Amino acid sequence: MSWRTIRGPVRAAVLSAVVLLTAAPVAASAAPTAAAPTAAAPTVDVTTAVTARLLGQSAVTADPHLRTADADDTRVTVTRRDGRNWAFGTAVVVAPHEEDAYPKGSVFVAHRDRSGWQVAFDGEAAFADLAEAAPSTVVTAREKEVFASPSPGTMLAGGDMRTGMRLPYGIGQTWSYSGGPHGWGGSESPWSAIDLAGGDQRVLAARGGTAYTMCRGWIRVIHDRGYSTDYYHLWNSINVNGAGVGEGAYLGDTGTDVTCGGAAYGRHVHFGLRQNSAYVQIHDHAIGKWVLMRGGATYQGYALHGSARVNVGGGLYNYGVLGFNQAIVDANGGGAVNKRTGPGTGHGVAGSVGDGVTVTVSCSANGTTHTGRYGATALWNRLSDGTWISDAYVWSGVNGPINGWC
């Protein structure tokens, strides 16, 4: 295993790499007697190629702090190699040390063929393909399994907002919801991050996956279904290079670290959500059985657990993971919802279930129409005890059946 970090490579070298990676083939000049020999392509170091790709990606971002990013703002760390043709590591564009500025970065895999270095970042389709083809000394079997895990395809496809994540601290603890949905860099869209503080200060993985140190104080965990989570401002953060971590694994303590840029006032974790190689809106997702809701401006908003509402500045109790075949009862201000013997109000009442209770769904069917917090629907869910409840009065994260049709 070799470690190589580049910070601020010569701008000319990077520009040369961009030309090499993007230029079209040039036709050879005609010769009267024999074809001219083909010159060997110049050798480009993998760090230069990754830097060029990273700067090309940053050039099209909406983040004004990265519009003028150049090679002096990059940190490319090659953590694994196999010969001269395969490499794996992290690539980061650091940010200014000011408010509304945060670093951007990716885990990468790179392969050199006759055309040069092919570089792919985590979440991209090419990333899973390159990772699968890479030798095990570069990408482990566990990593290949996570990277190849099916994702919804396009981000937030089909209204599927299920994450299978808890809040990034101990189950049963209550932390301060110190910052509502906002951009990873602060004000930009999408509003992909929230701020959390307090408790025992121990930041834990929201879901299992593989973990990577992007820079000191910044950990990324890549999960299944195309998701990954970022944790920034950590103090005493772990140093990992693709280690498998389970849900609830320790990542570090809340802090104010800004090694890669940005600003932090008071200990907290800046928790961000990504899917398919990009930050995605964190609002309308359930984390720790709280549905995060955006406000009229960044850092505002609230969170819902059933009908219970917590505004920014309040405390979020960590209820744990909402399973992919589960839903949270939302009585839309009521105390309970009736369960029925069939999918509709024409069937008899078979008890009730309280607001905020987690239910397990066996299958779904259409029945009578009802209107809840999120609108009208004729969908009914059959619960694991054989009773039925209108989909209007639950939050499952899916716009449709979550466990197939009955």
Side-chain angles (χ1 to χ4, degrees):
M1 178 184 298
S2 64
W3 292 75
R4 179 173 183 178
T5 302
I6 183 170
R7 175 170 170 81
V10 179
R11 185 193 305 267
V14 173
L15 294 177
S16 297
V18 173
V19 172
L20 176 64
L21 292 170
T22 61
V26 178
S29 301
T33 56
T38 302
T43 300
V44 175
D45 185 79
V46 64
T47 52
T48 304
V50 173
T51 300
R53 175 77 199 286
L54 185 64
L55 292 178
Q57 185 184 66
S58 298
V60 298
T61 183
D63 186 344
H65 294 290
L66 296 183
R67 286 184 182 277
T68 57
D70 60 25
D72 290 330
D73 301 315
T74 63
R75 294 180 183 177
V76 175
T77 303
V78 178
T79 56
R80 306 175 213 160
R81 289 182 182 270
D82 189 274
R84 300 176 58 190
N85 297 326
W86 286 96
F88 186 93
T90 58
V92 173
V93 177
V94 299
H97 290 282
E98 58 188 54
E99 291 187 57
D100 285 342
Y102 276 83
K104 301 292 176 71
S106 298
V107 174
F108 74 85
V109 61
H111 176 235
R112 185 169 61 179
D113 57 22
R114 292 185 178 182
S115 62
W117 282 102
Q118 311 302 315
V119 179
F121 294 141
D122 62 278
E124 297 175 340
F127 182 81
D129 293 340
L130 273 184
E132 180 61 31
S136 59
T137 51
V138 173
V139 181
T140 67
R142 178 187 175 88
E143 288 173 315
K144 291 181 181 184
E145 181 179 355
V146 172
F147 300 157
S149 175
S151 72
T154 57
M155 290 180 289
L156 314 179
D160 188 346
M161 311 292 274
R162 294 175 294 180
T163 65
M165 296 178 191
R166 60 192 274 175
L167 286 162
Y169 47 86
I171 292 175
Q173 288 193 24
T174 299
W175 283 30
S176 172
Y177 188 28
S178 56
H182 54 280
W184 175 250
S187 59
E188 87 281 4
S189 295
W191 294 359
S192 60
I194 58 174
D195 292 336
L196 300 162
D200 63 1
Q201 310 286 358
R202 289 171 55 85
V203 177
L204 312 178
R207 184 167 173 79
T210 56
Y212 303 87
T213 298
M214 306 302 291
C215 66
R216 193 182 72 186
W218 179 12
I219 301 295
R220 173 168 298 167
V221 181
I222 299 178
H223 313 286
D224 52 7
R225 304 181 73 247
Y227 281 114
S228 60
T229 48
D230 280 5
Y231 312 74
Y232 192 39
H233 301 317
L234 301 182
W235 172 77
N236 195 33
S237 58
I238 62 175
N239 187 14
V240 280
N241 170 29
V245 295
E247 175 206 327
Y250 173 78
L251 303 178
D253 297 320
T254 58
T256 57
D257 189 279
V258 289
T259 300
C260 280
Y265 306 100
R267 291 180 63 173
H268 70 282
V269 58
H270 183 63
F271 175 73
L273 184 67
R274 291 166 57 88
Q275 189 179 29
N276 298 340
S277 193
Y279 290 103
V280 294
Q281 65 178 60
I282 198 167
H283 49 91
D284 301 324
H285 287 88
I287 311 287
K289 298 187 182 181
W290 288 94
V291 183
L292 304 173
M293 309 296 287
R294 63 179 292 163
T298 54
Y299 296 96
Q300 298 179 4
Y302 56 98
L304 288 172
H305 176 75
S307 296
R309 171 172 170 157
V310 171
N311 295 320
V312 169
L316 294 182
Y317 179 88
N318 193 355
Y319 291 97
V321 172
L322 182 68
F324 291 113
N325 64 338
Q326 293 183 321
I328 305 166
V329 174
D330 183 346
N332 198 17
V337 175
N338 284 335
K339 298 190 292 182
R340 300 277 178 171
T341 57
T345 52
H347 297 271
V349 174
S352 64
V353 59
D355 184 82
V357 171
T358 299
V359 293
T360 299
V361 176
S362 300
C363 57
S364 302
N366 286 319
T368 54
T369 298
H370 298 272
T371 301
R373 186 184 307 278
Y374 303 102
T377 179
L379 191 70
W380 283 69
N381 299 306
R382 184 179 182 184
L383 307 183
S384 56
D385 65 359
T387 63
W388 294 77
I389 187 172
S390 169
D391 196 63
Y393 300 112
V394 299
W395 190 96
S396 66
V398 178
N399 185 18
I402 68 171
N403 202 20
W405 295 98
C406 295

